[in-house]
Structures are given as structure tokens and as C-alpha cells.
Amino acid sequence: MEVLTRVRTEFLPYALPDIGEEEIAEVVQTLKSGWITTGPKTKEFERRMGDYLGVKHAIAVSSCTAALHVALAAIGVGRGDEVITSPLTFCATANAVVHLGGRPVFADIGDDLNIDPVEIERHITSRTKAIIPVHHSGQPCRMDEILACARAYNLPIIEDAAHAIGAVYHGRMIGTIGDVTAFSFYATKNMTTAEGGMIATDNDDLAEKMRLLSLHGISKDAWKRYSSEGSWYYEVLCAGYKYNMTDIQAALGIHQLAKLEQFIQARSWYASTYNEAFGDMPEIQVPLANAGLRHAWHLYVIQLNLERLTIDRAEFIEALRAENIGTSVHFIPVHLHPYYRDQFGYRRGDYPNAERIYDRIISLPLYPKMTEEAMQDVIAAVQRTVSKYRR
Ligand SMILES: Cc1ncc(COP(=O)(O)O)c(C=O)c1O
């Protein structure tokens, strides 16, 4: 292994958005137009997203968290209901269940960091109301098995596709498989609206409920009330939430969506270059990519073979930081957080795979805006750290 000697002088963040002149011009035009909240740009963004995904209904909302919340509310999750999801996810997935009075039940993961369908079935009870597979890093879960399990027990599937816009599972676009799919356009995601989310579904009934729930339960699009064809009259049909997307966000989204394919290609290229660099290092396990899928490569997550190193994951991260390389960890398993421990009685030992994997994972910088030179700096810093702390 040839180890390069150059050390970065400037800090490399683990993620950065890629905003071009087109986005900036559209946002400025929106600001000048007099219509800055939900309106024509949001409708346009929804239409384009529906076409891209190939779904009947695309509903723009303020975040993926909001999307998950209204999806679970629309299928009727309530007090005492159980919803099965992955422990290796962002707290948002489980929090959305808690907001409705439900109990998040975790099912352990496999080496691909995704929920294990066999574990899902093991956790189904008479109180189970839904399953939320999380497509970790942008790699689709084993949806055929999850669908079969959901059908057998008559359970809806709400996909947490915060990482997975543009991912494809055996020829099917993520967004077209489960009953509802929730996407995130948070600043670091594969495409961004700064904050934002999208709900995708082919189910007319759920779509209508989710539209209502995402804007106060108001019977028609509020923005139409203020336009020339609008009227002052509206009715509140349920106590909905305030989760609408603004036209400023949609202005960003329209152009980010147009660049999504090129963004994913850049991410895939970086991922395969990392794979080549780390593939034969016994101290590092590269991400396990399943066959028959298009991985969206939101994250590039290595696993450290700790048995071959004299330092732990936290120390490895510190060593990379000393080399000016930013990293992150996706995720601290939800059941280990104090709230989930205290409120639901979860503890270390409950999900051995998620815990073992958590202790070893590091997300390396991966984003289209990163230069090739920066990527080589990451590779060199990882190789140097391994050489220094090899057992
Ligand atoms: C797996 C997962 N689910 C949900 C979310 C929530 O997304 P948002 O920030 O758009 O609410 C995130 C955000 O990081 C995530 O990583």
C-alpha cells in the first residue's frame, strides 16, 4: 500500500450542498415575485417530482420528519400502537411514532446496515400498526421480503427514504414500492431545499388525508384563497399540522431535482474510488452493496475491524480530524438514547447487530462538490491512520 504524505491544511467537511447559479436566480425571482410561501413553485416542484418518481401523488412538505408524521397519522397510528423500524436511524423516524402516542419497536439490522426482514416478522404483535424500513445510506432495503411480510400481516409500509431519492430496487424506483414514501431535502442530502421533504404515494385516499394533515386540516389549498381565482371560504376538517413547503424552498428543489442524476453519478464514482482504495485493507470493511439495486450513495460508511487496530472508533475519528478530515456517524442507535431508554425500557444488548456495527462505523466525506484532490486526501488520511494504529 502506497501511503501519500500530503496533509490537508484546510478542514474538509463531511458534507456540503451544491447550489448553482440556477438555484440562486430562481430563489431571487421567487423573492421578487411577491409570492414566497406555498404557491406555484411548490406545485411545479411536486409535478416534476411526481414525474421523476413515477407516482400519482407527490406532496411537498417542510421536512422528512413532517412527511413521516403525517403518513403515520393518515394510516391511523395512535396511542398504544406499535410501529416497527430500524434502530440504526435518525431519531426523527422513531420520534414521529412517539408524537402520535405510539411505541417504536426496533428490529435488528444486517451487515448492509438495513433492517433484517426476518427480525421484522419476529417483532410483529397484535398492536403492530405499520413498518418503516429505512434505506440506510441510500441503499434500498430487502423490499420483496418486507412486502411479503407486510402482506401476510396486512400492515402498511411507510418507507423512510431520507437518504434514498434516486435509488432503484430491482427496476422499481424508491417511492413507488411501499404505501407511502418520505424523502428529505435537508442541507446535506442528495438534493436539497435547505430544509424540506416530499411524500410520495399512489394511494388516492391516503394522499387526500396527508394533504389535509400537512396544512391545518384545511379543505383546500390555502394559497388558492389569496389568488385571483380564490375565495375567502374554507373549512377545517381535522386538526392538521403546519408542514407546508415554501416557494423559496421549491425554487431550490426544482433545479436540484434537474441535477439529481448527475449528483448521484458523482457520488457513485467517489464511492467506487473509495472501494478500490480500501477494498483490500483488512482493517477496513467497505460498504456492503447488494446486487440488483441502484444505490443512491447518500453516505459512504466504512466499518473498522477493531480487532486489527489499537484505537477505537472515536479515536479514529479524532485522528482523521487531526488530518483536517471531517466525518460523522450514522447513527447512534435510537434505543441507546436516554429518552428511548427511560421511556420505553430499551437498553444496550437489545439489538446486538446495530450495537456492534455502531461501534465500528464512520461516514467519510462524499458529495459532488468535493474535489478529486480532496477525496485523495481522505484516502491518504485513512491509510496513514491505519498504518499508524495497526495492531
Ligand atoms: C434516516 C433519516 N430519517 C429521517 C430524517 C429526517 O429528515 P428531515 O431533516 O428532512 O426531517 C433524516 C435526516 O437526517 C434521516 O437521516
Side-chain angles (χ1 to χ4, degrees):
M1 180 176 71
E2 188 205 347
V3 179
L4 302 173
T5 49
R6 197 178 93 92
V7 179
R8 280 184 72 83
T9 50
E10 233 179 80
F11 184 71
L12 178 74
Y14 107 87
L16 276 180
D18 191 341
I19 305 292
E21 290 306 320
E22 304 86 343
E23 285 89 328
I24 293 168
E26 192 87 34
V27 167
V28 170
Q29 190 267 325
T30 308
L31 289 170
K32 288 179 174 170
S33 75
W35 198 274
I36 55 174
T37 187
T38 313
K41 291 267 155 74
T42 306
K43 293 293 135 191
E44 175 69 11
F45 183 37
E46 288 179 340
R47 192 187 57 72
R48 292 187 190 205
M49 187 57 82
D51 288 348
Y52 173 73
L53 296 173
V55 284
K56 240 166 125 180
H57 306 280
I59 304 167
V61 285
S62 53
S63 67
C64 181
T65 311
L68 290 167
H69 190 188
V70 297
L72 292 169
I75 61 164
V77 169
R79 198 147 299 281
D81 289 337
E82 295 177 356
V83 176
I84 299 176
T85 192
S86 167
L88 200 74
T89 185
F90 187 52
C91 60
T93 323
N95 286 354
V97 178
V98 176
H99 292 326
L100 292 161
R103 179 187 174 89
V105 171
F106 302 105
D108 213 348
I109 57 167
D111 284 345
D112 61 359
L113 312 188
N114 278 337
I115 197 164
D116 180 343
V118 177
E119 288 296 309
I120 294 178
E121 184 153 15
R122 238 168 47 77
H123 286 86
I124 292 174
T125 71
S126 58
R127 289 183 301 278
T128 307
K129 210 53 199 261
I131 302 168
I132 312 181
V134 180
H135 306 297
H136 194 291
S137 307
Q139 166 153 248
C141 292
R142 287 153 59 191
M143 291 308 294
D144 282 339
E145 289 156 86
I146 295 173
L147 281 169
C149 174
R151 268 195 215 108
Y153 293 89
N154 200 20
L155 293 169
I157 295 176
I158 312 290
E159 289 170 61
D160 180 337
H163 301 180
I165 185 108
V168 181
Y169 176 80
H170 297 302
R172 297 170 73 183
M173 201 81 182
I174 292 298
T176 64
I177 302 175
D179 296 86
V180 180
T181 304
F183 295 102
S184 173
F185 308 132
Y186 176 71
T188 57
K189 294 297 191 286
N190 280 17
M191 56 171 279
T192 185
T193 58
E195 298 280 356
M198 189 71 72
I199 305 170
T201 186
D202 279 325
N203 183 312
D204 298 339
D205 180 45
L206 282 177
E208 197 184 324
K209 282 191 185 138
M210 291 188 292
R211 264 203 198 279
L212 268 184
L213 283 165
S214 64
L215 194 61
H216 299 302
I218 288 175
S219 59
K220 57 182 170 175
D221 293 343
W223 70 278
K224 286 190 188 141
R225 286 188 280 133
Y226 301 108
S227 62
S228 56
E229 77 267 29
S231 119
W232 60 271
Y233 187 75
Y234 63 90
E235 287 176 318
V236 173
L237 304 179
C238 62
Y241 309 100
K242 181 69 164 70
Y243 282 163
N244 53 311
M245 176 178 276
T246 70
D247 269 20
I248 302 172
Q249 291 165 298
L252 285 167
I254 287 166
H255 293 282
Q256 288 276 294
L257 177 59
K259 298 175 187 174
L260 180 62
E261 286 302 309
Q262 133 203 356
F263 285 161
I264 293 176
Q265 273 171 28
R267 287 174 176 276
S268 303
W269 184 76
Y270 281 134
S272 57
T273 312
Y274 277 151
N275 278 344
E276 269 169 42
F278 306 136
D280 50 15
M281 290 171 71
E283 297 81 6
I284 304 252
Q285 190 183 317
V286 299
L288 203 82
N290 293 325
L293 311 174
R294 187 210 200 189
H295 198 313
W297 289 112
H298 170 52
L299 301 173
Y300 186 87
V301 180
I302 56 167
Q303 293 186 45
L304 301 178
N305 285 329
L306 294 172
E307 305 71 25
R308 292 179 170 269
L309 293 165
T310 58
I311 54 173
D312 65 15
R313 186 266 316 278
E315 290 163 331
F316 203 103
I317 285 176
E318 280 314 308
L320 291 179
R321 195 196 305 273
E323 298 246 9
N324 275 322
I325 306 295
T327 58
S328 193
V329 173
H330 296 87
F331 294 93
I332 301 166
V334 182
H335 70 285
L336 299 180
H337 286 294
Y339 173 79
Y340 283 91
R341 213 177 47 211
D342 299 344
Q343 196 69 21
F344 298 103
Y346 289 117
R347 47 192 38 82
R348 205 171 236 279
D350 287 347
Y351 301 100
N353 279 350
E355 293 160 14
R356 180 182 53 82
I357 287 170
Y358 161 58
D359 287 340
R360 313 156 82 92
I361 48 179
I362 302 179
S363 305
L364 297 180
L366 177 79
Y367 46 103
K369 211 176 158 65
M370 183 169 77
T371 62
E372 198 177 333
E373 191 185 36
M375 182 192 55
Q376 293 301 342
D377 290 342
V378 177
I379 292 172
V382 170
Q383 289 176 338
R384 257 195 307 270
T385 305
V386 166
S387 298
K388 200 161 158 195
Y389 298 105
R390 178 177 283 134
R391 203 180 274 286

